[in-house]
Amino acid sequence: YNSISTCKNIENAISYITSLDFDSKTLSNPANRTSILNSTSISFSKESISAIFDVYMIQLIVTPVSLAMTFYGSRLVIPVIVCAASGFGVFLVFHFAANQTLIPGLVIDCQPKLIASAIFAVLAAVTAVSFLRFGLFCLGTIASGAGFYMLFDAFP
């Protein structure tokens, strides 16, 4: 039984996400596409199969989420924004801690990374919801102001 810590799981997930190359040569280069389509025996390298599989897996995840947001978006928008912002906060802490971009040579243990990522997740979620509510408030005031303007312009 091999147990991996929470930090190691998050670090593995973040390194995997950051290693995906959506603009790789096998997917975007037209010369590779035509040579693959024109050849009689189609052969793929392990790297191209892995890149294609990764991109399609992400598309398989994004499509049902997009459809759910289309049909139930008014009820799901705040929870989805909270989850996305929290994930972004965790990603920032672990990405910068793994790459040591702020202070080179500094090694951060698991516990401080988890605490900092939890704090950043909460701050990012609160900030995202605040911006959403402020944006919806501004949109509502502009729409009602435009409506009243049209009403009083039509009936002077």
Side-chain angles (χ1 to χ4, degrees), residues 14-23 50-51 53-55 58:
I14 289 175
S15 65
Y16 173 73
I17 293 294
T18 56
S19 71
L20 292 177
D21 187 14
F22 294 104
D23 195 28
S50 175
F53 178 74
D54 292 341
V55 170
I58 288 179

Side-chain angles (χ1 to χ4, degrees), residues 12 19 29-30 33-34 39 46 58 60 62 67 76 78 89 93 107 112 116 121 131 136 155:
N12 288 341
S19 71
N29 191 352
R33 269 190 257 141
T34 56
S39 66
K46 283 187 176 183
I58 288 179
L60 285 174
V62 168
L67 288 174
L76 294 176
I78 290 181
V93 170
V107 177
F131 277 131
L136 290 176
F155 302 107

Side-chain angles (χ1 to χ4, degrees), residues 25-45:
K25 294 176 186 173
T26 54
L27 298 176
S28 64
N29 191 352
N32 286 347
R33 269 190 257 141
T34 56
S35 66
I36 289 173
L37 292 176
N38 292 335
S39 66
T40 56
S41 63
I42 297 174
S43 62
F44 293 104
S45 66

Side-chain angles (χ1 to χ4, degrees), residues 132-156:
L132 174 74
R133 290 184 182 196
F134 178 72
L136 290 176
F137 170 76
C138 289
L139 182 67
T141 56
I142 290 171
S144 61
F148 283 120
Y149 175 79
M150 298 289 272
L151 178 73
F152 288 119
D153 192 38
F155 302 107

